[in-house]
């Protein structure tokens, strides 16, 4: 009589490292759906440009164009203020 051991094969889902390998991509897929949901349902409202123009008229140099503001930061000189023609 010979003593031979027969290997018992287990199913693939009974190994713990298989679930660790599957869990990584699964978490990424779930996170992408959550990100899509937040992007689709959390949109910022579209603002009217008319409100921005009326707000910018009283701001003076605070809302200077980007190039003028950049030049001011580099040189220290203020951009020339636009004077409104008053009747």
């Amino acid at each position: 009589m010979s003593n031979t051991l027969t290997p018992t094969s287990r199913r693939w889902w009974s190994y713990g490292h298989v679930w660790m390998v599957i869990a990584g991509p699964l978490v990424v897929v779930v996170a992408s759906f959550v990100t899509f949901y937040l992007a689709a349902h959390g949109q910022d409202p579209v603002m009217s440009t008319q409100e921005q123009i009326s707000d910018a008229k009283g701001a003076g140099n605070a809302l200077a164009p980007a190039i003028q503001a950049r030049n001011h930061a580099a040189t220290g000189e203020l951009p020339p203020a636009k004077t409104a023609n008053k009747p």
Side-chain angles (χ1 to χ4, degrees), residues 46-61:
V46 177
M47 296 184 69
S48 170
T49 57
Q50 296 300 324
E51 294 173 7
Q52 293 175 357
I53 291 172
S54 65
D55 289 345
K57 286 182 181 176
N61 287 338

Side-chain angles (χ1 to χ4, degrees), residues 59-73:
N61 287 338
L63 297 176
I67 293 176
Q68 290 177 353
R70 182 198 56 173
N71 290 341
H72 166 64

Side-chain angles (χ1 to χ4, degrees), residues 14-80:
S14 65
Y15 294 100
H17 66 278
V18 172
W19 291 108
M20 187 174 63
V21 170
I22 292 173
L26 185 64
V27 167
V28 171
V29 169
V30 170
S32 68
F33 282 118
V34 170
T35 303
F36 174 75
Y37 174 80
L38 292 174
H41 295 301
Q43 298 172 354
D44 292 335
V46 177
M47 296 184 69
S48 170
T49 57
Q50 296 300 324
E51 294 173 7
Q52 293 175 357
I53 291 172
S54 65
D55 289 345
K57 286 182 181 176
N61 287 338
L63 297 176
I67 293 176
Q68 290 177 353
R70 182 198 56 173
N71 290 341
H72 166 64
T75 62
E77 296 178 19
L78 288 174

